[in-house]
Amino acid sequence: MDITERFLNYVKFDTQSNEESTTVPSTSKQLIFAKFLKEELEREGFDDVEMDDMGYIYATLKSNTKKEVPTIGFISHYDTSPDCSGANIKPSIVRSYDGSDIELSPGILSSPKKFPELLQHVGEDLIVTDGTTLLGADDKAGIAEIVQAMCWLRDHKEIKHGDIRMGFNPDEEIGMGAHHFDVEKFGCEWAYTIDGGDLGELEFENFNAASAKILIKGVSVHPGYAKGKMINASRLATEFVNMLPGEETPEETENYEGFYHLTGMDTCTESAKLSYIIRDHDREIFEDRKRFIQQCAEKMNEKYGEGTVTAEVKDQYYNMKEKIDPNMHVIDIVLKAMQASDVPPRVKPIRGGTDGAQLSFKGLPCPNIFAGGVNFHGPYEFVSIQVMEKAMQVIVNICKLTADYND
């Protein structure tokens, strides 16, 4: 099986996660894919294949050398974003892309005028959607690359390597993927998430992240007799939104700039709920942002009465840089692996998160490497087959270089 067939098999499964759920995984349909993947790993002949009742999958490619080699791991998540449907995905392959508009479906175009990233892949074979769902390259491309690399190493016994662990988990897209990942069972000295974007991306800095739920209690009264009585929760919701700086949103920021992102709003006169995510690379500024959200709620309570507005702020993950800096050999190996794979490295901060951030704080240094997908979380997502193949080569070369690593 080649990497394209493997990937296309994976995206047949709807594995969308749900941030409102309290179960693990957050959707039962993720377990359907997890069972399929576990059985595939068993068929491929890997060792120590297991899946727990929450859908976390672990497997091993055993060492083929008597030399003492650090045990390393590769990790990807199999859930897809709640932001766009992942059901009934209809992928197609654009062979030798020529730089023109791609008609995904009648009247739905993916154009380099809107998505200039397409022009970086002229001459390559692109897997695209039909414009009605996401593709799922985030992160099923990563899974396909890891499994394909391990199969290649399995079949090329002349390439010496130590024990290599694989880990696949649910619920990364809702910030919960690493919460139940068993680092002790995984048993690695370090690992890599294969969950980045386009060719050459290497990331070991990411946002500090929190979620915020703003709950507003209103008072509903007949509008004809509402003077002095009504508290319109919908109107208070817009007032709260306007208290946050309009220039500090995802659409107005880049690079290391943080933001407040309104991800959902459910309002009526009697009650309202606002869902935010809070992001910043700088830990001190991140803490200031969380305090500011609380202060906004307090100011509204001063105006409308105590208990009218409640802000529930929860940390999700932190910037992995402080855990990677003391372990820079992990990065050096990747850079050498990219060089050996003829991949120009693009070291950049993640304007988002990765399971590797949480895992790094659980004692497993875990930077993030490109998986190849572009325009994640939407119907214009695509992935280059050639970039997936390069990602697989980088994984293989990391394993080879680790076998030569001398602590």
Side-chain angles (χ1 to χ4, degrees), residues 319-331:
N319 190 344
M320 74 171 90
K321 186 176 187 296
E322 63 183 85
K323 300 299 182 181
I324 299 296
D325 278 349
N327 297 281
M328 285 303 290
H329 63 279
V330 175
I331 302 301

Side-chain angles (χ1 to χ4, degrees), residues 163-177:
D163 282 350
I164 305 165
R165 294 281 276 158
M166 292 170 271
F168 305 110
N169 59 269
D171 290 341
E172 187 270 352
E173 296 292 358
I174 58 172
M176 302 293 290

Side-chain angles (χ1 to χ4, degrees), residues 33-53 55-62 147 150-151 154 164-168 185-186:
F33 175 74
K35 184 174 182 290
F36 169 86
L37 181 58
K38 174 181 179 286
E39 292 173 352
E40 179 178 87
L41 295 171
E42 290 171 336
R43 287 195 305 272
E44 294 288 7
F46 297 116
D47 292 294
D48 310 323
V49 179
E50 59 179 303
M51 182 181 82
D52 65 22
D53 58 1
Y56 287 73
I57 302 169
Y58 308 94
T60 306
L61 177 65
K62 289 291 189 181
V147 176
M150 295 305 106
C151 288
R154 176 201 63 199
I164 305 165
R165 294 281 276 158
M166 292 170 271
F168 305 110
K185 177 188 290 185
F186 201 48

Side-chain angles (χ1 to χ4, degrees), residues 222-295:
H222 188 291
Y225 307 93
K227 183 176 175 64
K229 302 172 184 176
M230 177 184 287
I231 299 177
N232 188 337
S234 293
R235 189 177 62 76
L236 267 62
T238 62
E239 184 176 337
F240 187 94
V241 170
N242 288 328
M243 293 175 76
L244 301 183
E247 70 279 6
E248 296 180 19
T249 61
E251 57 267 41
E252 298 290 340
T253 53
E254 61 183 353
N255 299 324
Y256 286 92
E257 296 170 335
F259 56 73
Y260 305 92
H261 178 36
L262 179 62
T263 61
M265 178 184 291
D266 183 11
T267 75
C268 63
T269 301
E270 192 171 49
S271 65
K273 181 173 76 171
L274 306 176
S275 298
Y276 279 93
I277 59 174
I278 305 166
R279 302 289 188 264
D280 210 287
H281 278 91
D282 184 286
R283 186 68 172 265
E284 186 174 337
I285 297 175
F286 171 66
E287 297 297 333
D288 288 342
R289 289 186 182 280
K290 292 190 295 179
R291 280 191 289 269
F292 183 66
I293 285 275
Q294 296 284 7
Q295 289 166 2

Side-chain angles (χ1 to χ4, degrees), residues 125-166:
D125 303 318
L126 308 184
I127 304 177
V128 300
T129 75
D130 68 350
T132 64
T133 69
L134 48 66
L135 177 62
D138 180 13
D139 189 25
K140 288 169 184 162
I143 301 174
E145 291 151 8
I146 293 170
V147 176
Q148 199 72 19
M150 295 305 106
C151 288
W152 191 93
L153 286 168
R154 176 201 63 199
D155 296 338
H156 290 77
K157 294 180 173 53
E158 72 278 10
I159 305 299
K160 299 306 177 185
H161 58 80
D163 282 350
I164 305 165
R165 294 281 276 158
M166 292 170 271

